[in-house]
Structure formats: C-alpha cells, structure tokens
Amino acid sequence: QVQFVESGGGLVQPGGSLRLSCAASGFDFDTANMSWYRHRPGTDPDLVAHITYYSGTAIYPDAVKGRFTISRDNAKKTVYLQMNSLKPDDTAVYYCNLGVNIPSGGFRGQGTQVTVSS
C-alpha cells in the first residue's frame, strides 16, 4: 500500500533553513505527482508545494513562494522540500502526499515536525 516516511524536521530559529525528505513506497513513483502539506493545530492542512512527474513543474502558494523548493529523485523514490527563510508561522507537521487529494483516511505517513522559534 501507499506509504511515506518523512524526515528532516526539527527546531530552527527564524530565518533558518531545513530540508525535508519523504521516502515513498507502494506505488509507481515515476508517474506520480507529489505534494507537501503542512498541518497546524486547529486548522485544515495546507498545500505548500506540488511537483508534476512528467516535467517536474512545481507550484507553490504565495505564503511560501520564493522560500520553499520542492524536488524529486525518481531513482530514490524520494521527494524533498527545501525550506529557507523560515518564519514562526511555518511551524507545523509536514506531510508528503500522492497527488493533491488527501486520502479520506488521512495522510499515509507519520509526518515530520518543524518548529520555528527563537
């Protein structure tokens, strides 16, 4: 079945950087559009990055545009999220996801906690 293992989160000061990784399994990664979401307590999950499989085209919401970069390594079946100029508002649990629709049962990985604080 579809599974993800997210890693790379941690505590970072405002203005700092982190690189998240997501190892995928259980589906054809080479032909899968992939996304990163974040989930802050008391809110709905937010899409923060999306990358297509056929051209590697990436899209971002305004909140992270210019600061976050999504990339993928098909050979490693891994998707990455480089996060720069981090802000306290970026504090959340970050999940990767197959496509843009969140499964009805929720995310398929454990997520990785990112905390931006001085």
Side-chain angles (χ1 to χ4, degrees), residues 67-116:
R67 301 189 297 122
F68 289 11
T69 303
I70 188 171
S71 62
R72 62 190 296 157
D73 184 333
N74 288 348
K76 296 182 178 179
K77 300 186 186 301
T78 299
V79 62
Y80 303 97
L81 185 68
Q82 177 67 43
M83 305 187 297
N84 299 326
S85 302
L86 283 162
K87 307 174 182 180
D89 279 353
D90 296 319
T91 295
V93 180
Y94 284 71
Y95 299 90
C96 61
N97 193 66
L98 172 59
V100 295
N101 295 316
I102 301 172
S104 58
F107 295 109
R108 300 292 178 88
Q110 82 288 354
T112 186
Q113 174 72 48
V114 172
T115 303
V116 185

Side-chain angles (χ1 to χ4, degrees), residues 4 9 15-16 18 22 25 28 30 36 44 48 52 58 88 94-95 116:
F4 301 109
L18 284 173
C22 170
S25 62
D28 187 358
D30 288 2
W36 280 97
D44 292 330
V48 295
T52 65
Y94 284 71
Y95 299 90
V116 185

Side-chain angles (χ1 to χ4, degrees), residues 42-63:
T43 69
D44 292 330
D46 295 318
L47 177 70
V48 295
H50 177 76
I51 187 167
T52 65
Y53 73 90
Y54 53 91
S55 65
T57 299
I59 59 172
Y60 309 92
D62 288 345

Side-chain angles (χ1 to χ4, degrees), residues 14 19 27:
R19 188 192 192 209
F27 63 98

